[in-house]
Amino acid sequence: MAKKANPPAPSVSAPIPLTIAPGLVIRGPLREQGAEIRRLGQRPLVIAGSQTLVRLQSALEHLAQDQGLLLAAADYHPDCCETSLQALHRAIAEHQADLILGAGGGKALDTAKLVAHQGQLPIVTVPTSGATCAAWTALANVYSEAGAFQYDVALRHCPELLILDYDLVQSAPTRTLVAGIGDAIAKWYEASVSSGHASDTLTVAAVQQARVLRDLLFQKSLEALQTPGSPVWREVVDATVLLAGIIGGIGGANCRTVAAHAVHNGLTHLPQTHGILHGEKVAYGILVQLRLEELVAGNQLAVTARQQLLKFYSDLGLPRSLEDLGLKGITLGELRQVAEITCQPGSDIHRLPFAVNPEVLMAALVSTVSLPEASLKAPLVVCLLKGTPCSSTRFSNRVLP
């Protein structure tokens, strides 16, 4: 009798690694963390911008003397781009580095994390402002030499060590913390859209933490900015650097960015936006996302949320319009370039629960400060929503009736 064939083995999906948090987070002066750094390596390569290296000189000299660390430094400029990455790998080889210490803002930290990832070296991150959660996350964004967003890279793990030196953060311009508030508050507006109906335990937790983060920033940001170094200021710094990172770590790939960061990525392709901070562009992108929810889905909750944010942005000094971003003179061609890049296949903007094309995105981009009733009557918005050609080559971003 013929032997029965064994039934096929059940398919098992590959496990998704969790990159939730750094191995260790220390809130204290950088100069006092030599022993923790030495546990990871003795020949650190410090990757930072030239101004940051000047700010850190005293602390780095102390670390070298106190723990016998053999330090070398490398400037990551012109950007977190392929050219910089290649140069930094040469610097690693020349120094025989066994550890990367990244210090600075988002781009410096992304560069350091990516270099460490590629070289399979441990990484210490030291944020020098409250502008982003890049010191926490297992993700790096790569740009062109001119500063245009190209792609992101998921890293194997979060940093081995994160050192949050409040004195160092406090010495940064206030504008950087304002930008960090804009970047962090986007967690709620994006996660609630991409993952608000999820049932996975960690995703639900991440979305709820994003709500907590939003409420904390609404309640405490203004007081924090008025009292640098105070306990409430530290709470807001913890929110922008640490809690925002926790949300991304817990939610992971299931808790995605949506239109706000996609708009940021599109704007980076305009050279005139390169002086605008990451969080400032993301904050404006939240307003664009809410306008899309109004224009396409008729979402009245989005109307209320946008009006709330416009008041909040006005109090803090976050950009509310193209004009606030320094783009009052933007041409229709430049606006279409941003919209087409933002809407290209694979963009996070397509995580919205409705289709978005460049025309409707352009209409949202130019009407972020408009009242709901007035914006739908504005000639340029009507033109774009109908998909008809617009004859004007330049326009004001404030579209009024």
Side-chain angles (χ1 to χ4, degrees):
M1 193 171 174
K3 190 176 181 180
K4 289 184 179 180
N6 293 326
S11 61
V12 179
S13 59
I16 300 174
L18 297 177
T19 53
I20 293 178
L24 180 64
V25 176
I26 295 177
R27 294 181 289 182
L30 170 62
R31 64 188 294 115
E32 297 177 6
Q33 312 313 321
E36 293 295 342
I37 295 171
R38 188 177 175 84
R39 287 190 179 96
L40 298 172
Q42 298 182 20
R43 302 181 64 88
L45 177 68
V46 181
I47 295 176
S50 57
Q51 294 182 356
T52 297
L53 290 172
V54 172
R55 290 171 64 191
L56 295 183
Q57 183 176 354
S58 175
L60 294 176
E61 289 176 351
H62 177 80
L63 289 173
Q65 295 171 3
D66 183 53
Q67 292 293 326
L69 296 173
L70 300 175
L71 292 159
D75 192 330
Y76 78 96
H77 285 101
D79 215 309
C80 182
C81 61
E82 298 291 349
T83 302
S84 295
L85 294 171
Q86 293 171 10
L88 291 169
H89 281 298
R90 291 193 293 270
I92 288 172
E94 291 171 2
H95 181 56
Q96 297 181 332
D98 58 4
L99 168 67
I100 302 298
L101 191 154
K107 288 188 174 182
L109 296 173
D110 277 4
T111 306
K113 290 187 299 181
L114 186 50
V115 166
H117 168 83
Q118 292 171 339
Q120 299 184 31
L121 295 174
I123 170 75
V124 178
T125 53
V126 183
T128 57
S129 75
T132 75
C133 61
W136 183 286
T137 60
L139 186 72
N141 290 335
V142 178
Y143 297 80
S144 70
E145 289 189 28
F149 174 81
Q150 301 295 301
Y151 59 90
D152 56 44
V153 179
L155 310 178
R156 284 185 301 274
H157 53 76
C158 296
E160 278 79 6
L161 174 61
L162 188 166
I163 301 171
L164 179 54
D165 184 333
Y166 291 114
D167 291 339
L168 190 59
V169 172
Q170 189 178 346
S171 69
T174 302
R175 178 186 175 190
T176 58
L177 181 55
V178 173
I181 293 166
D183 189 36
I185 206 168
K187 295 289 186 186
W188 163 250
Y189 296 94
E190 295 188 297
S192 62
V193 169
S194 70
S195 312
H197 300 292
S199 59
D200 171 76
T201 300
L202 293 182
T203 305
V204 171
V207 174
Q208 293 307 312
Q209 286 301 312
R211 184 197 299 270
V212 170
L213 174 60
R214 178 203 64 181
D215 293 346
L216 185 152
L217 292 175
F218 274 146
Q219 295 164 11
K220 299 186 177 183
S221 291
L222 188 58
E223 180 183 350
L225 294 171
Q226 293 170 343
T227 57
S230 67
V232 71
W233 177 87
R234 290 194 176 201
E235 290 172 12
V236 170
V237 171
D238 284 350
T240 63
V241 177
L242 306 181
L243 181 53
I246 290 171
I247 293 165
I250 295 174
N254 293 328
C255 202
R256 300 280 191 175
T257 58
V258 189
H261 277 80
V263 167
H264 160 274
N265 295 342
L267 286 170
T268 64
H269 289 258
L270 292 182
Q272 57 267 49
T273 69
H274 293 170
I276 307 300
L277 299 179
H278 169 86
E280 293 171 333
K281 292 194 280 282
V282 170
Y284 165 74
I286 302 171
L287 299 177
V288 175
Q289 176 175 311
L290 292 170
R291 282 296 288 134
L292 288 170
E293 294 180 54
E294 296 172 46
L295 291 171
V296 181
N299 187 337
Q300 292 305 302
L301 290 177
V303 177
T304 302
R306 184 170 61 87
Q307 296 303 317
Q308 181 185 34
L309 279 179
L310 286 172
K311 173 64 168 60
F312 182 64
Y313 286 12
S314 180
D315 291 341
L316 267 62
L318 281 167
R320 311 190 317 160
S321 64
L322 288 170
E323 182 177 358
D324 291 344
L325 289 171
L327 297 175
K328 182 177 181 180
I330 188 173
T331 65
L332 279 173
E334 290 170 330
L335 190 73
R336 177 165 289 278
Q337 177 191 3
V338 170
E340 289 180 347
I341 291 171
T342 304
C343 290
Q344 64 189 355
S347 169
D348 285 342
I349 201 169
H350 300 303
R351 299 185 186 279
L352 288 168
F354 47 79
V356 177
N357 59 39
E359 286 73 26
V360 73
L361 177 56
M362 291 169 71
L365 287 165
V366 300
S367 59
T368 52
V369 298
S370 303
L371 295 174
E373 300 82 4
S375 65
L376 292 177
K377 300 176 183 178
L380 182 62
V381 174
V382 172
C383 170
L384 291 168
L385 290 177
K386 288 183 176 180
T388 55
C390 300
S391 58
S392 174
T393 57
R394 302 186 79 86
F395 57 86
S396 169
N397 65 296
R398 294 181 182 269
V399 182
L400 301 174

